Amino acid sequence: MIPQKFEYTAPKTLDEALLLLAAGAKPLAGGMSLIPMMKLRLAAPEHLVDLGKLKDLNYIRETDGTLHIGATTTHAEIESSPILRKKCPLLAETAAAIGDVQVRNMGTIGGSVAHADPAADYPAALQALEAKLALKGAKSDRIVAAADFFVDAFTTALQPNEIIREVIVPVEAAGTGTSYQKMFHPASGFAIVGIAARVRKKAGNIALVRIGVTGLSNRPYRAATAEKALEGKLGSATEIQNAAALVAKGVDANSDLHASAEYRRHLAVVHAARALMTALARTA
Amino acid sequence: MKISGSYTLPLPPERTYQMMQDPEVLARAIPGCEGLEKTGEGEYRMKMQMALASLSGAFEGRVRITDQTPSLSFRLVVEGAGRIGFVKGEGLLKLRAADGGTEVSYEGEAQVGGTIAAVGQRLIDGTAKMMIKKFFEKFAEAAS
Amino acid sequence: MATTMTQTETFVGKRVRRREDPRLITGTATYVEDIQMPGMHYAVIVRSPHAAARIRSIKTKQAEAAPGVVAVYTGKDTERVGPVPCGASLPGLRVPHHHVLATDRVYFVGHPVAVVVATDRYLARDAADLVEVDYDVLPAVADPEKALAKGAPAVHPEWPDNTAFTFHQEGGDVDKAFAEADLVVKQRMTSQRLIPMALETRGVVAEWRGADRQLNLYTSTQIPHLVRTLVAQMLSLEENRMRVVTPEVGGGFGSKLNVYAEEALMGFVAMKINKPVKWIESRRENFLCTIHGRGHVDYYEVAAKRDGTILGIKLKIIQDLGAYHQLLTPAIPTLSVLMMPGLYKTKNVRADIVGVFTNCMPTDAYRGAGRPEATHGIERMVDLLADELKMDPAEIRLKNFVGKDEFPYATATGLMYDSGDYAAPLKKALEIVGYQKLRQEQIEARKQGKWMGIGISTYGEICAIGPSPATPAGGWESATVKIEPSGKVTVMTGACPHGQGEETTFAQITADELGVGLDDVLVIRGDTAIVQYGIGTFGSRATAIGGTALYFALQDLKAKIKKFGAMLLESEDVTFSAGQVTCNRTGKSKSLQEIAGASYRALKLPPETEPGLLATRFWEPPNFTFPFGAHIVVSDIDGETGQIKIRRYVAVDDCGNMINPLLVDGQVHGGVAQGLGQALWEQVVYDDNGQLVTGELMDYAVPRAHMMPWIENDHTTTPSPVNPLGVKGVGEAGTIGCSPAVVNSVVDALSPLGVRHIDMPLTPEKIWKLIAGGN
């Protein structure tokens, strides 16, 4: 459990960090996945740039009806943020479901999202929230939709030397209910399956449904057919069941010791129904 | 661990088969492969640089092609060993004409050992799938 | 403190808080890793990534030339270090020669191949990557039943059947019992391999003082004296030239009841380089190279009469031994055989064990060691029988229990149960849980399509291990009590408690006997240079045997204190109580402090009495002790996901007299946590090539605090006649009682589907499949 020799820099400013990254350094943003890999010597970066110490990436603020979360904001900060709990409770609820207390105190949203573990919790919420990610490189500054960000397991739209600057999520409109339902992996705490649901009601009907799925396959995704099946409906138990039944359709599900592909698919359906049911109840 | 699946390539089966025996094409398609060197009939030595998330490591490996039935099927064995452990993938690939292209179905086994096995049982299946997908994507690229 | 308080307050039987906790909670305790010495070197071990391979060559040149490296040793260098010892002996046992470093072949993933020593642990680790081992990989076998099949790869080429031993034991007339039976129930079940998972991994510091010809070995062990005796032998060093110190031990659970290659290897290195050397096991190594527990496949048959009377039991155990025998590896399944009748009266038993080599880490003692497997087996079988006969599982147990007037009770397996009232904890547990009401609720729940189950486990166990004939290295324990000139009391125990709390309980016993305060007593353990000799802490023995040795040493001292008191008071008619010797005629008294002072100043001595106040006792127990109890689990199953929620956990344990009920409850809590781990989550999985695929905490699921149910503890008290304290032992009870209660509750919940048995761990997927398939 002893890593290879590496340089460590904790820059004071984002620009300084970006310059180091452009020179080939690897970003450290909490280290909940990277450090264990380094201890096993499965990862051996020569130079680590600690983004976690950058004060200008740690914030949660509201501007123009959207919420901006700095990349180095920890899961614990997101979980306990009064503004998020009120205006984007799905993200706070999802953060609270991550790993354990120690991980939530150290891990950051930027680090987790950039790492793109296929069983991470945030991607489900980000898909459901139609979140945007602000990416920054030494010479670039761009916005990418969550839907386009996650490409495959551990593979994202991030270019080499680019980092996540902030995560942008909407302020929930009135009449919106959300829920994150997850089956915990008993060893790792990751999601065997995690479903984030958003439901908005208007004049008694379901006006908007968003369902984000993580853990089931290599890529977190939005279950668009399931969403469509429920939009415009009243939200009866049968309607929810029918919609939930569609979330895993055509998805190449992963399997491991704790859950086969078949079981994972089934769990996705069950948790989708529960998430939708809970979200619907919270629209009131 | 068992692996199986299929992938459709926009090439006729004969051409697909032929290219899949071509070390130049294979070298470009095998994820992380930095070159194949022929050591015998259907046998190659391989240098490989694995990179997956933060994981990285150099591997020395072998590629073997056996049980050839031209245009129909063959067995592909890819193995590599390095400081962080070893990986081995072995599968029977079957080719079938489909919609003007070729459906390649595969069935076999993936194995990891050494420290790399500690990377997480929970991730092995997904990672194997991703590697296979990359293989076909890069193969399609190399073929066109 | 300048004075020793004499007092009338007593401590035994009270919920006294652990005196060892402040240093543990504040992180100021000293573990092996905390030991620093000038000139310390660091060792890293190169291990095999293959489960079976021939070693073609090992190249160490590059590693030797790396910065900071002082030496690299391979199997060639350590050939003369004695083999890693197997302490168990069974007729016909095949014992492979277990080198500390592999020589020409490796037998399991993690097998040590070379050791790199450097001035700095980082440099040592870097250099380890430069050792080049050329392996010729061979086929491996990781499953014990596959290893027994024809044509399986031979783990040790000299024994192609992979069989290390077979063992047969029989009592009564089994064939007659089965012939007369109204019915026979049969079941195959497994007790999966587990990782003992101590929070503190193993670690060794070895220091060779060449000029003094003295080897100091600091190691995280449960058995410092045995480590000294055995490691000195391995190193061909005179035993009195070696000192073993066991600082704080962060959990053992049996995994440190062993002598490991690394302990001798570090001694070897220190003697070679003439500098202190430290090796700390990584968590990954702990998974791969510290013993595993369980690893049974059991085939049970139970014969019974229609009224539920159990007539006989047949058991075949296939024990996965791993590639080698560690200290007690082959002996563990024989404990299962001893306990196979459980608490039931049957006199007809037949057991066969096949000990099987596999290309895996050896199995050995893990909390309960053979007894959880036996209890799981018989308690599952009794439930199967009850189900077959449509009897209530509580009723069938009550019918078959050994009666409370039948003790001492000779079992069919040759044991003599010391004392018991087996119905008492069961009845108490049934009452606490509200059994009848729960059964009513279950009927209603089933009507509503809910899955709810009630599971009972009534366990017995062998504790206070054990009388010397039953153990490989002596079954007694020792204690020295020394009253210092100031009156302070120092206890040196040969048991080496490592988390069980004897610094508190032994102080309670001592304080009560001598009439002093708890803070006046210091309990020392774990240093062979200070403590006389000892066997160690395992098999729930420390209090029952070590505590008894202490008790007798205290009686000796009390007699001597009385003599000194009588002399000082110039009276023969004296009493010693509450820390005072008092003349019964004059009422004058002398404090313990005054007496202690006088005993050392020795201006005047009582007739035929030596100066000083010191007594040592080595106590050999006449028998084991046999605690028992009843655990009841109520579980609710989420029919959609298969997830099990434990609604109630009631544990009524009878461990004889309790020195400290708070610590007894703590032991039960810890034991239950590990029992639940086996029942619900944990499993060691080797793939077909012998690769450990659950080799990290990200894959291997140990229970976390938030996964634990609330445990409702209660007790009955049946003192043991084996020792004067009347204590039995409780360290393993929770683990032993737990797993069958959990599995019985889940099988009970799913019984409407015709489910009879489920192997552990009860993963949600298994449960879901049963429900989905059954509907």
Side-chain angles (χ1 to χ4, degrees):
Chain A
M1 296 304 191
I2 294 174
Q4 269 172 34
K5 190 174 169 182
F6 61 91
E7 292 269 327
Y8 170 90
T9 313
K12 295 248 168 12
T13 66
L14 180 56
D15 287 342
E16 202 184 325
L18 291 169
L19 280 176
L20 290 165
L21 294 172
K26 188 162 175 60
L28 175 70
M32 295 298 91
S33 294
L34 180 57
I35 300 290
M37 295 288 271
M38 287 172 64
K39 285 179 158 186
L40 287 163
R41 298 201 166 200
L42 291 169
E46 284 173 13
H47 190 172
L48 283 187
V49 176
D50 193 349
L51 306 177
K53 300 267 157 73
L54 287 179
K55 289 272 178 294
D56 45 356
L57 286 184
N58 185 312
Y59 54 83
I60 298 168
R61 60 173 88 103
E62 183 182 355
T63 34
D64 310 328
T66 52
L67 295 157
H68 300 255
I69 301 140
T72 64
T73 309
T74 65
H75 313 323
E77 286 163 343
I78 291 170
E79 170 188 2
S80 59
S81 154
I83 178 169
L84 287 177
R85 286 182 155 201
K86 186 155 176 268
K87 302 197 167 177
C88 187
L90 179 59
L91 199 67
E93 188 185 357
T94 304
I98 294 172
D100 51 42
V101 174
Q102 290 92 328
V103 166
R104 294 198 291 276
N105 282 337
M106 292 293 289
T108 67
I109 188 166
S112 170
V113 172
H115 185 58
D117 188 295
D121 295 289
Y122 282 130
L126 298 186
Q127 294 284 12
L129 290 164
E130 297 174 88
K132 292 187 172 67
L133 299 155
L135 312 183
K136 181 118 181 74
K139 287 177 194 150
S140 67
D141 202 343
R142 59 185 181 124
I143 305 274
V144 173
D148 302 323
F149 182 80
F150 299 104
V151 177
D152 207 331
F154 306 109
T155 315
T156 67
L158 277 169
Q159 293 298 312
N161 317 327
E162 210 176 25
I163 61 154
I164 297 174
R165 185 166 51 80
E166 66 174 23
V167 175
I168 305 158
V169 293
V171 171
E172 289 294 7
T176 311
T178 59
S179 170
Y180 181 61
Q181 297 286 328
K182 161 187 186 181
M183 171 84 131
F184 277 85
H185 187 289
S188 70
F190 273 101
I192 286 178
V193 160
I195 308 277
R198 276 170 87 212
V199 178
R200 191 171 303 149
K201 264 192 143 174
K202 245 184 208 160
N205 277 351
I206 294 176
L208 173 136
V209 183
R210 293 291 178 267
I211 303 168
V213 183
T214 190
L216 183 63
S217 62
N218 273 346
R219 201 180 78 85
Y221 63 95
R222 251 181 68 190
T225 33
E227 293 173 356
K228 281 213 185 69
L230 201 55
E231 275 173 358
K233 302 272 165 58
L234 290 166
S236 72
T238 317
E239 286 165 353
I240 284 178
Q241 289 299 341
N242 290 343
L246 301 171
V247 293
K249 272 259 152 63
V251 176
D252 185 6
N254 284 341
S255 78
D256 74 356
L257 208 60
H258 293 278
S260 68
E262 181 200 7
Y263 181 52
R264 263 198 169 75
R265 251 178 223 297
H266 167 77
L267 288 177
V269 172
V270 170
H271 285 79
R274 290 178 183 183
L276 287 167
M277 202 76 89
T278 312
L280 190 64
R282 288 175 179 169
T283 55
Chain B
M1 190 199 57
K2 299 253 179 290
I3 45 173
S4 66
S6 67
Y7 197 91
T8 305
L9 291 162
L11 295 168
E14 295 74 24
R15 180 93 182 106
T16 304
Y17 182 86
Q18 194 189 353
M19 291 194 72
M20 281 190 160
Q21 318 289 312
D22 182 343
E24 296 245 332
V25 179
L26 283 178
R28 277 151 71 191
I30 294 170
C33 179
E34 293 181 334
L36 291 179
E37 182 195 325
K38 189 161 179 156
T39 52
E41 199 46 53
E43 281 206 27
Y44 306 90
R45 189 178 321 169
M46 173 175 65
K47 273 202 187 311
M48 222 178 155
Q49 186 65 41
M50 269 268 275
L52 170 71
S54 52
L55 181 152
S56 63
F59 288 87
E60 293 273 343
R62 285 197 306 167
V63 174
R64 269 183 303 149
I65 298 171
T66 60
D67 306 345
Q68 289 127 307
T69 312
S71 304
L72 286 177
S73 70
F74 67 97
R75 184 174 293 279
L76 183 66
V77 184
V78 181
E79 43 191 339
R83 219 145 255 164
I84 62 172
F86 53 87
V87 291
K88 186 176 177 185
E90 181 177 351
L92 184 69
L93 287 84
K94 287 185 187 158
L95 284 61
R96 190 174 67 86
D99 300 332
T102 307
E103 189 199 67
V104 185
S105 61
Y106 57 90
E107 216 176 307
E109 260 191 82
Q111 260 181 50
V112 292
T115 315
I116 197 171
V119 80
Q121 201 276 333
R122 73 179 181 91
L123 295 173
I124 288 174
D125 179 53
T127 308
K129 274 185 194 157
M130 188 172 72
M131 292 291 182
I132 293 165
K133 192 173 143 212
K134 269 195 184 152
F135 170 81
F136 282 114
E137 279 170 5
K138 286 170 121 190
F139 180 85
E141 244 174 66
S144 60
Chain C
M1 236 183 296
T3 57
T4 297
M5 296 297 293
T6 57
Q7 57 179 51
T8 48
E9 188 189 353
T10 60
F11 301 98
V12 169
K14 297 205 174 129
R15 300 175 76 87
V16 177
R17 287 197 180 187
R18 286 165 33 117
R19 305 164 78 207
E20 40 277 82
D21 282 346
R23 66 172 189 267
L24 298 174
I25 292 167
T26 56
T28 49
T30 303
Y31 295 87
V32 171
E33 168 69 313
D34 298 311
I35 293 166
Q36 292 301 339
M37 288 181 188
M40 184 84 94
H41 282 53
Y42 298 84
V44 167
I45 294 167
V46 178
R47 298 181 184 275
S48 169
H50 303 289
R54 253 186 295 273
I55 298 174
R56 287 199 198 98
S57 68
I58 306 176
K59 290 186 188 144
T60 59
K61 272 232 161 64
Q62 242 193 309
E64 279 161 5
V69 173
V70 301
V72 179
Y73 300 109
T74 68
K76 277 199 182 73
D77 303 300
T78 56
E79 253 175 338
R80 285 160 80 183
V81 176
V84 179
C86 166
S89 56
L90 292 170
L93 179 68
R94 290 165 168 172
V95 184
H97 192 91
H98 188 173
H99 291 286
V100 294
L101 289 174
T103 51
D104 55 342
R105 220 176 140 113
V106 290
Y107 295 89
F108 63 97
V109 173
H111 199 150
V113 171
V115 58
V116 177
V117 188
T119 51
D120 169 296
R121 68 177 71 191
Y122 293 86
L123 295 175
R125 178 63 187 85
D126 287 347
D129 280 345
L130 302 175
V131 174
E132 286 178 49
V133 188
D134 185 12
Y135 294 103
D136 174 16
V137 180
L138 301 167
V141 62
D143 176 290
E145 288 194 297
K146 285 182 186 162
L148 288 176
K150 260 209 157 61
V155 175
H156 297 280
E158 60 270 42
W159 301 310
D161 61 1
N162 288 323
T163 302
F165 68 92
T166 57
F167 175 90
H168 177 84
Q169 189 172 341
E170 193 155 339
D173 191 338
V174 180
D175 291 329
K176 184 164 168 270
F178 275 73
E180 287 172 358
D182 293 327
L183 78 164
V184 173
V185 286
K186 299 181 186 183
Q187 184 63 47
R188 174 192 189 270
M189 61 183 92
T190 56
S191 185
Q192 75 274 30
R193 255 185 194 256
L194 301 172
I195 304 277
M197 199 70 73
L199 271 182
E200 184 211 15
T201 58
R202 290 187 292 124
V204 184
V205 168
E207 178 198 21
W208 174 242
R209 299 190 175 202
D212 302 334
R213 199 172 165 70
Q214 168 80 27
L215 180 66
N216 294 329
L217 198 80
Y218 300 79
T219 181
S220 184
T221 185
Q222 301 172 224
I223 48 167
H225 282 93
L226 299 181
V227 166
R228 183 178 66 146
T229 301
L230 295 167
V231 172
Q233 257 173 40
M234 292 168 78
L235 296 171
S236 308
L237 182 70
E238 308 89 291
E239 191 176 0
N240 55 3
R241 294 292 181 177
M242 185 166 167
R243 174 185 180 186
V244 171
V245 181
T246 301
E248 206 77 63
V249 174
F253 313 114
S255 74
K256 294 171 183 171
L257 159 58
N258 228 305
V259 175
Y260 285 97
E262 293 87 352
E263 288 170 319
L265 190 58
M266 289 310 119
F268 167 84
V269 169
M271 289 165 82
K272 278 272 182 195
I273 66 170
N274 215 3
K275 290 270 196 268
V277 62
K278 181 188 278 189
W279 168 75
I280 300 293
E281 184 187 52
S282 70
R283 181 59 63 190
R284 174 85 179 140
E285 287 176 298
N286 186 257
F287 270 95
L288 290 170
C289 319
T290 288
I291 61 105
H292 296 172
R294 321 279 187 257
H296 269 216
V297 181
D298 294 331
Y299 291 86
Y300 272 95
E301 290 181 44
V302 171
K305 284 204 283 204
R306 193 140 303 282
D307 69 354
T309 306
I310 298 169
L311 297 175
I313 308 167
K314 290 183 197 168
L315 166 62
K316 182 180 178 186
I317 299 173
I318 294 169
Q319 172 72 51
D320 176 359
L321 300 166
Y324 286 113
H325 303 312
Q326 281 281 345
L327 194 61
L328 300 170
T329 301
I332 305 303
T334 65
L335 288 171
S336 305
V337 170
L338 290 178
M339 274 321 289
M340 68 183 271
L343 303 178
Y344 310 111
K345 253 186 298 205
T346 177
K347 289 282 188 184
N348 308 305
V349 300
R350 175 183 296 157
D352 285 283
I353 306 173
V354 186
V356 188
F357 288 123
T358 55
N359 289 106
C360 303
M361 180 63 204
T363 51
D364 204 318
Y366 168 50
R367 204 170 193 167
R371 291 155 288 161
E373 297 90 321
T375 302
H376 195 79
I378 189 65
E379 288 305 290
R380 283 268 48 243
M381 291 312 292
V382 168
D383 258 36
L384 282 167
L385 187 60
D387 182 54
E388 200 77 20
L389 293 170
K390 305 279 168 265
M391 275 178 85
D392 185 278
E395 186 195 333
I396 197 164
R397 286 173 167 83
L398 290 166
K399 183 175 184 63
N400 284 287
F401 281 153
V402 173
K404 71 173 176 185
D405 48 0
E406 295 179 73
F407 293 93
Y409 179 83
T411 75
T413 54
L415 299 172
M416 186 64 79
Y417 288 174
D418 59 341
S419 62
D421 181 357
Y422 299 156
L426 176 56
K427 285 180 176 163
K428 197 166 189 177
L430 291 168
E431 195 187 307
I432 292 168
V433 82
Y435 188 65
Q436 291 312 326
K437 236 177 122 186
L438 282 169
R439 286 286 177 212
Q440 284 305 315
E441 186 192 331
Q442 189 181 39
I443 293 167
E444 287 309 307
R446 282 180 177 162
K447 282 183 196 157
Q448 294 165 32
K450 287 184 185 160
W451 307 102
M452 169 198 167
I454 307 152
I456 298 173
S457 148
T458 47
Y459 72 90
E461 61 160 326
I462 312 173
C463 279
I465 293 176
S468 291
T471 56
W476 46 267
E477 198 46 85
S478 75
T480 294
V481 184
K482 187 168 60 156
I483 302 179
E484 312 287 357
S486 61
K488 296 291 175 191
V489 185
T490 306
V491 172
M492 285 152 276
T493 173
C496 183
H498 47 278
Q500 293 81 358
E502 273 81 0
E503 281 176 50
T504 306
T505 52
F506 282 12
Q508 288 175 265
I509 294 169
T510 306
D512 278 13
E513 290 298 319
L514 297 179
V516 298
L518 284 181
D519 290 338
D520 295 320
V521 185
L522 173 69
V523 179
I524 296 178
R525 33 62 75 191
D527 186 339
T528 63
I530 299 177
V531 176
Q532 50 291 346
Y533 197 89
I535 302 301
T537 288
F538 55 88
S540 303
R541 70 191 304 278
T543 304
I545 311 181
T548 303
L550 169 64
Y551 173 84
F552 282 119
L554 286 165
Q555 303 315 309
D556 289 353
L557 265 189
K558 277 162 74 177
K560 198 167 178 187
I561 290 164
K562 234 172 122 177
K563 276 193 196 170
F564 271 106
M567 179 196 75
L568 293 175
L569 292 164
E570 297 177 334
S571 161
E572 287 300 306
D573 184 13
V574 295
T575 319
F576 177 49
S577 105
Q580 308 260 355
V581 176
T582 307
C583 173
N584 293 335
R585 277 178 294 115
T586 64
K588 277 190 191 163
S589 63
K590 290 282 175 189
S591 72
L592 182 58
Q593 197 185 353
E594 290 171 291
I595 293 166
S599 82
Y600 285 94
R601 227 161 26 252
L603 294 174
K604 202 177 145 201
L605 294 170
E608 287 161 49
T609 306
E610 294 171 2
L613 288 176
L614 181 138
T616 298
R617 275 296 193 102
F618 283 53
W619 188 66
E620 169 68 28
N623 190 5
F624 301 104
T625 60
F626 297 89
F628 54 92
H631 287 202
I632 299 184
V633 166
V634 182
S635 60
D636 296 300
I637 296 167
D638 180 333
E640 283 188 312
T641 64
Q643 249 173 341
I644 297 161
K645 187 169 187 301
I646 294 182
R647 188 205 304 183
R648 300 278 301 277
Y649 195 111
V650 174
V652 179
D653 299 283
D654 192 322
C655 58
N657 291 336
M658 292 183 277
I659 308 291
N660 186 332
L662 182 67
L663 271 63
V664 167
D665 288 350
Q667 286 293 323
V668 173
H669 288 176
V672 167
Q674 286 177 307
L676 284 171
Q678 173 163 26
L680 297 176
W681 302 293
E682 297 182 39
Q683 58 179 328
V684 171
V685 179
Y686 281 98
D687 69 12
D688 288 343
N689 306 299
Q691 290 292 333
L692 179 62
V693 298
T694 52
E696 276 292 326
L697 285 163
M698 292 293 274
D699 286 315
Y700 185 88
V702 281
R704 318 294 214 269
H706 74 268
M707 293 151 88
M708 289 290 293
W710 183 254
I711 298 165
E712 302 167 55
N713 286 102
D714 211 322
H715 305 275
T716 59
T717 303
T718 309
S720 172
V722 174
N723 60 66
L725 298 171
V727 299
K728 291 194 171 184
V730 73
E732 298 156 292
T735 311
I736 294 168
C738 176
S739 74
V742 175
V743 177
N744 285 345
S745 82
V746 174
V747 171
D748 180 51
L750 302 183
S751 61
L753 298 169
V755 172
R756 295 178 75 246
H757 178 74
I758 315 167
D759 271 329
M760 302 181 286
L762 306 180
T763 60
E765 178 160 13
K766 273 187 204 171
I767 306 303
W768 169 70
K769 278 193 170 143
L770 288 168
I771 294 173
N775 275 351

